């Protein structure tokens, strides 16, 4: 295993680049379990030791697959998973639950699927608007006391909610979408995390693939087909943005994806992005971002593109706006 640079999420130390496992369960088109196992093994060989999954990814499939590959090296990896999304029969959209009873049962189910005794980092995937955050985090803290969880996190939580949660039990990490085309976290969230000493785990740091400048038609079964940024005229406009960004990367001698990840990494030592992929070659490319050095001149050139202001379309369609959290 290669030794990668290390970063801290609160008191938890991890590789500076993690691996988001969601795409291994079909979110962005069909996935192959054998290829996924090979990609997870490649991540280990490249020195990645921070793996992010959730009970909702593939409705349990993702945790089962990740657990199968990582159990033999359990002492060498950090496993993060999440709870909160449920799919009641007949519901038009997922329902978020954060009540204490559900927190406990969800944790036990995740441990069983992963086949491990303790989850290293356990997130509330979204905040239940009908349950005080003190109840949710209080139940999570009980899991820490019981030895089922080591560290706590929240995903897509507002700064005021984070402060209340942190007062109940130390929060190690906050996970939210953050990239050159999605920068709302800079408004207040990042300052709050710095103040409280909480790590930040950006998901979709490649803009769900937009910043790689490799997107053509979105295939059947790909979640992005319903997302505004990847539909119709928006997709055409955003491809044009990506091509401009790719020009900066070419001048620097790296790929657009590497430049996008290097930019996120350059925003602070408490940042641990978790790009996902089904392919080992793309994974190796992502890890190469750790070798990309950004000068003030390059950072200025990136800012001049104004990608977050120019990107066309919202993060989620209206019907799925609840997935956006905040």
């Amino acid at each position: 295993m290669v030794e990668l640079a290390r970063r801290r999420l609160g008191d938890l130390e991890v590789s500076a680049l993690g691996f988001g496992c969601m795409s291994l369960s079909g979110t962005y088109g069909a996935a192959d379990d054998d290829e996924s196992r090979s990609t997870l093994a490649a991540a280990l060989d490249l020195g990645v030791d921070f793996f992010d999954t959730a009970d909702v990814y593939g409705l349990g499939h993702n945790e089962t697959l990740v657990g199968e590959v990582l159990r033999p090296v359990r002492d060498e990896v950090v496993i993060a998973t999440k709870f909160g999304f449920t799919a009641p029969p007949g519901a038009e959209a997922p329902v978020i639950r954060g009540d204490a009873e559900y927190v406990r049962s969800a944790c036990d189910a995740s441990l069983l699927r992963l086949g491990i005794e303790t989850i290293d980092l356990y997130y509330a995937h979204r905040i239940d608007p009908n349950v005080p955050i003190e109840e949710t985090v209080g139940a999570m803290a009980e899991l820490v006391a019981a030895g089922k969880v080591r560290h706590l996190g929240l995903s897509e939580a507002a700064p005021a909610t984070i402060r209340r949660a942190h007062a109940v039990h130390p929060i190690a990490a906050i996970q939210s979408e953050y990239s050159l085309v999605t920068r709302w976290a800079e408004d207040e969230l990042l300052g709050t995390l710095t103040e409280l000493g909480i790590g930040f785990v950006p998901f979709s740091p490649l803009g769900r693939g937009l910043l790689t400048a490799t997107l053509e038609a979105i295939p059947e079964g790909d979640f992005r087909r319903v997302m505004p940024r990847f539909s119709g005229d928006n997709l055409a406009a955003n491809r044009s943005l990506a091509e401009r960004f790719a020009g900066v990367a070419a001048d620097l001698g790296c790929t657009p994806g590497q430049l996008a990840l290097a930019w996120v990494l350059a925003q602070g030592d408490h940042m641990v992005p978790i790009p996902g992929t089904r392919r080992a070659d793309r994974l190796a490319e992502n890890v190469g971002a750790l070798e990309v050095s950004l000068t003030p001149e390059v950072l200025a050139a990136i800012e001049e593109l104004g990608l977050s202001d120019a990107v066309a379309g919202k993060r989620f369609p209206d019907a799925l706006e609840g997935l956006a959290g905040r």
Side-chain angles (χ1 to χ4, degrees):
M1 181 183 291
V2 177
E3 182 66 27
L4 292 185
R6 313 290 294 167
R7 291 192 169 186
R8 300 194 70 84
L9 301 172
D11 293 331
L12 180 63
E13 185 178 281
V14 298
S15 54
L17 196 72
F19 182 36
C21 300
M22 182 174 71
S23 62
L24 304 183
S25 293
T27 305
Y28 297 117
D32 177 86
D33 283 356
D34 287 338
E35 181 182 34
S36 295
R37 293 183 187 98
S38 295
T39 301
L40 287 165
L44 293 169
D45 290 341
L46 289 165
V48 175
D49 70 3
F50 180 38
F51 295 85
D52 180 272
T53 181
D55 58 3
V56 73
Y57 300 161
L59 300 180
H61 168 270
N62 204 262
E63 288 182 322
T64 300
L65 179 68
V66 169
E68 174 191 334
V69 175
L70 298 185
R71 277 195 301 275
V73 291
R74 179 66 187 98
D75 293 340
E76 302 173 34
V77 297
V78 175
I79 298 175
T81 192
K82 301 178 281 292
F83 72 90
F85 283 120
T86 66
E92 295 183 0
V95 173
I96 300 167
R97 283 189 62 180
D99 57 282
E101 180 182 0
Y102 185 74
V103 172
R104 291 189 287 267
S105 64
C107 179
D108 287 342
S110 287
L111 287 169
L112 186 62
R113 283 188 292 268
L114 288 163
I116 60 178
E117 295 181 355
T118 306
I119 296 165
D120 297 305
L121 176 57
Y122 199 41
Y123 292 98
H125 207 158
R126 293 294 187 273
I127 307 305
D128 187 338
N130 300 312
V131 174
I133 191 62
E134 289 80 5
E135 176 180 339
T136 302
V137 176
M140 295 168 73
E142 291 175 2
L143 297 174
V144 175
K148 295 181 179 182
V149 170
R150 292 193 175 94
H151 301 274
L152 303 185
L154 306 175
S155 181
E156 297 268 279
T161 302
I162 294 167
R163 291 182 184 279
R164 289 168 56 193
H166 197 62
V168 175
H169 187 281
I171 301 298
I174 297 297
Q175 183 175 127
S176 284
E177 185 170 354
Y178 183 58
S179 72
L180 277 163
V181 292
T182 303
R183 297 178 63 170
W184 63 263
E186 295 173 358
D187 295 342
E188 184 182 355
L189 176 62
L190 296 185
T192 300
L193 302 187
T194 298
E195 176 190 338
L196 298 177
I198 299 173
F200 187 50
V201 180
F203 69 79
S204 300
L206 299 173
R208 299 187 187 274
L210 179 63
L211 291 165
T212 65
T214 61
L215 285 180
E216 298 299 332
I218 307 300
E220 292 289 342
D222 190 313
F223 177 59
R224 290 171 293 187
R225 288 179 69 91
V226 302
M227 303 183 80
R229 290 181 178 178
F230 299 89
S231 303
D233 293 341
N234 287 345
L235 180 57
N238 291 334
R239 279 191 187 132
S240 178
L241 286 181
E243 289 169 3
R244 291 165 54 200
F245 178 67
V248 178
D251 291 341
L252 197 60
C254 65
T255 69
Q258 288 173 332
L259 182 57
L261 290 173
W263 180 86
V264 171
L265 288 161
Q267 303 311 301
D269 289 340
H270 64 312
M271 298 253 178
V272 182
I274 51 168
T277 181
R278 298 191 298 269
R279 293 169 42 183
D281 60 335
R282 291 291 189 198
L283 177 65
E285 176 187 329
N286 290 343
V287 172
L290 294 169
E291 305 301 320
V292 176
S293 179
L294 302 184
T295 65
E297 291 75 18
V298 171
L299 290 169
I302 293 171
E303 289 297 328
E304 288 176 6
L305 295 175
L307 298 176
S308 63
D309 293 329
V311 67
K314 299 188 300 182
R315 295 171 62 199
F316 291 94
D318 292 340
L320 297 177
E321 192 62 37
L323 297 180
R326 297 183 61 192

Short mmCIF file of all heavy atoms in Angstrom, two decimals, residues 7 56 65 76 83 99 111 128 137-138 169 172 180 187 207 259 271 279 286 288 293-294 303 306 314 316 318 322:
data_model
loop_
_atom_site.label_atom_id
_atom_site.label_comp_id
_atom_site.label_asym_id
_atom_site.label_seq_id
_atom_site.Cartn_x
_atom_site.Cartn_y
_atom_site.Cartn_z
N ARG A 7 -4.75 13.69 6.45
CA ARG A 7 -5.48 14.85 6.95
C ARG A 7 -6.35 14.41 8.12
O ARG A 7 -6.58 13.22 8.32
CB ARG A 7 -6.32 15.50 5.85
CG ARG A 7 -5.47 16.17 4.78
CD ARG A 7 -6.26 17.05 3.85
NE ARG A 7 -5.36 17.85 3.03
CZ ARG A 7 -5.74 18.81 2.20
NH1 ARG A 7 -7.04 19.10 2.08
NH2 ARG A 7 -4.87 19.49 1.49
N VAL A 56 -28.54 3.65 2.24
CA VAL A 56 -29.48 3.85 1.15
C VAL A 56 -28.88 3.54 -0.22
O VAL A 56 -29.62 3.32 -1.19
CB VAL A 56 -30.02 5.30 1.18
CG1 VAL A 56 -28.96 6.31 0.71
CG2 VAL A 56 -31.30 5.44 0.36
N LEU A 65 -21.25 -4.86 -0.19
CA LEU A 65 -20.10 -4.98 -1.09
C LEU A 65 -18.84 -4.39 -0.47
O LEU A 65 -17.76 -5.01 -0.48
CB LEU A 65 -20.42 -4.27 -2.41
CG LEU A 65 -19.32 -4.28 -3.46
CD1 LEU A 65 -19.10 -5.68 -4.00
CD2 LEU A 65 -19.68 -3.32 -4.61
N GLU A 76 -6.78 -1.43 8.78
CA GLU A 76 -6.01 -0.50 7.96
C GLU A 76 -6.89 0.56 7.29
O GLU A 76 -6.37 1.41 6.56
CB GLU A 76 -5.23 -1.26 6.89
CG GLU A 76 -4.28 -2.31 7.44
CD GLU A 76 -3.67 -3.16 6.33
OE1 GLU A 76 -3.44 -2.60 5.23
OE2 GLU A 76 -3.45 -4.36 6.56
N PHE A 83 -27.04 7.07 7.82
CA PHE A 83 -28.43 6.64 7.99
C PHE A 83 -29.33 7.84 7.77
O PHE A 83 -28.88 8.99 7.79
CB PHE A 83 -28.66 6.10 9.42
CG PHE A 83 -28.65 7.19 10.46
CD1 PHE A 83 -29.82 7.85 10.81
CD2 PHE A 83 -27.46 7.60 11.05
CE1 PHE A 83 -29.81 8.89 11.75
CE2 PHE A 83 -27.44 8.63 11.98
CZ PHE A 83 -28.62 9.27 12.33
N ASP A 99 -35.18 9.98 14.45
CA ASP A 99 -35.59 9.68 15.82
C ASP A 99 -34.68 8.62 16.43
O ASP A 99 -34.06 7.81 15.73
CB ASP A 99 -37.04 9.19 15.84
CG ASP A 99 -37.28 7.98 14.95
OD1 ASP A 99 -37.38 8.17 13.71
OD2 ASP A 99 -37.33 6.86 15.47
N LEU A 111 -24.12 -2.29 10.62
CA LEU A 111 -23.05 -3.14 11.14
C LEU A 111 -23.18 -4.57 10.61
O LEU A 111 -22.18 -5.20 10.26
CB LEU A 111 -23.08 -3.14 12.67
CG LEU A 111 -22.59 -1.87 13.36
CD1 LEU A 111 -22.93 -1.91 14.84
CD2 LEU A 111 -21.09 -1.68 13.17
N ASP A 128 -33.52 15.36 10.04
CA ASP A 128 -34.96 15.17 10.13
C ASP A 128 -35.59 16.46 10.66
O ASP A 128 -35.33 16.86 11.81
CB ASP A 128 -35.25 14.00 11.08
CG ASP A 128 -36.73 13.62 11.11
OD1 ASP A 128 -37.58 14.45 10.77
OD2 ASP A 128 -37.02 12.47 11.51
N VAL A 137 -28.56 13.31 17.65
CA VAL A 137 -27.14 13.21 18.03
C VAL A 137 -26.99 12.55 19.40
O VAL A 137 -26.01 11.85 19.66
CB VAL A 137 -26.47 14.59 17.99
CG1 VAL A 137 -25.02 14.52 18.47
CG2 VAL A 137 -26.51 15.14 16.56
N GLY A 138 -27.98 12.75 20.26
CA GLY A 138 -27.93 12.05 21.55
C GLY A 138 -27.95 10.55 21.37
O GLY A 138 -27.20 9.81 22.03
N HIS A 169 -22.48 16.32 21.37
CA HIS A 169 -21.34 15.41 21.24
C HIS A 169 -20.43 15.96 20.15
O HIS A 169 -20.92 16.46 19.13
CB HIS A 169 -21.81 13.99 20.87
CG HIS A 169 -20.71 12.98 20.88
ND1 HIS A 169 -19.81 12.84 19.84
CD2 HIS A 169 -20.35 12.06 21.81
CE1 HIS A 169 -18.95 11.88 20.11
NE2 HIS A 169 -19.26 11.40 21.31
N ALA A 172 -17.11 15.14 14.25
CA ALA A 172 -15.81 15.03 13.59
C ALA A 172 -15.82 15.60 12.19
O ALA A 172 -14.83 16.20 11.74
CB ALA A 172 -15.35 13.57 13.54
N LEU A 180 -16.10 23.38 -7.69
CA LEU A 180 -16.01 24.66 -8.38
C LEU A 180 -17.34 25.12 -8.96
O LEU A 180 -17.50 26.30 -9.29
CB LEU A 180 -14.97 24.58 -9.50
CG LEU A 180 -13.53 24.79 -9.03
CD1 LEU A 180 -12.54 24.29 -10.08
CD2 LEU A 180 -13.28 26.26 -8.72
N ASP A 187 -20.53 30.34 2.07
CA ASP A 187 -21.29 31.45 2.63
C ASP A 187 -21.13 31.55 4.14
O ASP A 187 -20.91 32.62 4.69
CB ASP A 187 -22.78 31.31 2.27
CG ASP A 187 -23.02 31.43 0.78
OD1 ASP A 187 -22.14 31.95 0.08
OD2 ASP A 187 -24.09 31.00 0.32
N GLY A 207 -18.17 17.87 -9.48
CA GLY A 207 -19.44 18.36 -10.04
C GLY A 207 -20.24 17.26 -10.69
O GLY A 207 -20.89 17.47 -11.71
N LEU A 259 -7.37 18.76 -11.70
CA LEU A 259 -7.35 20.17 -11.32
C LEU A 259 -8.53 20.51 -10.41
O LEU A 259 -8.37 21.26 -9.43
CB LEU A 259 -7.39 21.04 -12.58
CG LEU A 259 -7.32 22.56 -12.35
CD1 LEU A 259 -6.08 22.94 -11.57
CD2 LEU A 259 -7.37 23.31 -13.69
N MET A 271 -10.06 19.69 4.55
CA MET A 271 -10.88 19.20 3.44
C MET A 271 -10.41 17.81 3.03
O MET A 271 -9.24 17.60 2.72
CB MET A 271 -10.73 20.12 2.23
CG MET A 271 -11.21 21.53 2.46
SD MET A 271 -12.76 21.80 1.60
CE MET A 271 -13.07 23.50 2.11
N ARG A 279 -14.31 2.86 -12.01
CA ARG A 279 -13.16 2.41 -12.80
C ARG A 279 -11.84 2.65 -12.08
O ARG A 279 -11.60 3.75 -11.55
CB ARG A 279 -13.14 3.12 -14.15
CG ARG A 279 -14.29 2.75 -15.04
CD ARG A 279 -14.41 3.66 -16.25
NE ARG A 279 -13.13 3.97 -16.87
CZ ARG A 279 -13.00 4.81 -17.91
NH1 ARG A 279 -14.07 5.40 -18.41
NH2 ARG A 279 -11.81 5.05 -18.42
N ASN A 286 -7.64 10.26 -10.13
CA ASN A 286 -8.06 11.11 -9.02
C ASN A 286 -6.96 11.24 -7.97
O ASN A 286 -6.68 12.34 -7.46
CB ASN A 286 -9.32 10.53 -8.37
CG ASN A 286 -10.55 10.66 -9.25
OD1 ASN A 286 -10.57 11.42 -10.21
ND2 ASN A 286 -11.58 9.90 -8.94
N GLY A 288 -3.91 11.09 -8.42
CA GLY A 288 -2.87 11.94 -8.98
C GLY A 288 -3.07 13.42 -8.68
O GLY A 288 -2.12 14.21 -8.79
N SER A 293 0.26 20.89 -7.95
CA SER A 293 0.54 22.09 -7.14
C SER A 293 -0.07 23.31 -7.81
O SER A 293 0.14 23.54 -9.01
CB SER A 293 2.05 22.27 -6.98
OG SER A 293 2.34 23.43 -6.23
N LEU A 294 -0.82 24.09 -7.07
CA LEU A 294 -1.51 25.24 -7.61
C LEU A 294 -0.88 26.54 -7.12
O LEU A 294 -0.84 26.81 -5.92
CB LEU A 294 -2.99 25.21 -7.21
CG LEU A 294 -3.78 23.97 -7.65
CD1 LEU A 294 -5.26 24.13 -7.28
CD2 LEU A 294 -3.64 23.73 -9.14
N GLU A 303 -10.52 31.21 -10.78
CA GLU A 303 -11.57 32.10 -10.27
C GLU A 303 -12.14 32.97 -11.40
O GLU A 303 -13.34 33.26 -11.42
CB GLU A 303 -11.01 32.99 -9.15
CG GLU A 303 -10.72 32.26 -7.86
CD GLU A 303 -11.96 31.67 -7.22
OE1 GLU A 303 -13.06 32.25 -7.36
OE2 GLU A 303 -11.84 30.61 -6.58
N GLY A 306 -15.30 31.93 -13.19
CA GLY A 306 -16.61 32.15 -12.55
C GLY A 306 -17.56 30.98 -12.73
O GLY A 306 -18.75 31.16 -13.00
N LYS A 314 -30.16 23.99 -11.40
CA LYS A 314 -30.06 23.75 -9.96
C LYS A 314 -29.41 22.40 -9.68
O LYS A 314 -29.25 21.56 -10.57
CB LYS A 314 -31.45 23.79 -9.32
CG LYS A 314 -32.17 25.12 -9.47
CD LYS A 314 -33.44 25.15 -8.64
CE LYS A 314 -34.42 24.07 -9.04
NZ LYS A 314 -35.68 24.13 -8.25
N PHE A 316 -30.68 19.95 -7.81
CA PHE A 316 -31.69 18.89 -7.83
C PHE A 316 -32.97 19.41 -8.47
O PHE A 316 -33.27 20.61 -8.40
CB PHE A 316 -32.01 18.41 -6.42
CG PHE A 316 -30.90 17.66 -5.74
CD1 PHE A 316 -30.01 18.31 -4.90
CD2 PHE A 316 -30.74 16.30 -5.93
CE1 PHE A 316 -28.98 17.62 -4.27
CE2 PHE A 316 -29.73 15.59 -5.31
CZ PHE A 316 -28.84 16.26 -4.48
N ASP A 318 -37.07 19.97 -8.67
CA ASP A 318 -37.99 20.37 -7.60
C ASP A 318 -38.51 19.18 -6.81
O ASP A 318 -38.65 19.24 -5.58
CB ASP A 318 -39.16 21.17 -8.18
CG ASP A 318 -38.73 22.52 -8.73
OD1 ASP A 318 -37.65 23.00 -8.33
OD2 ASP A 318 -39.47 23.08 -9.56
N GLY A 322 -35.67 17.99 -1.44
CA GLY A 322 -35.36 17.57 -0.09
C GLY A 322 -34.03 16.86 0.02
O GLY A 322 -33.43 16.81 1.11
#
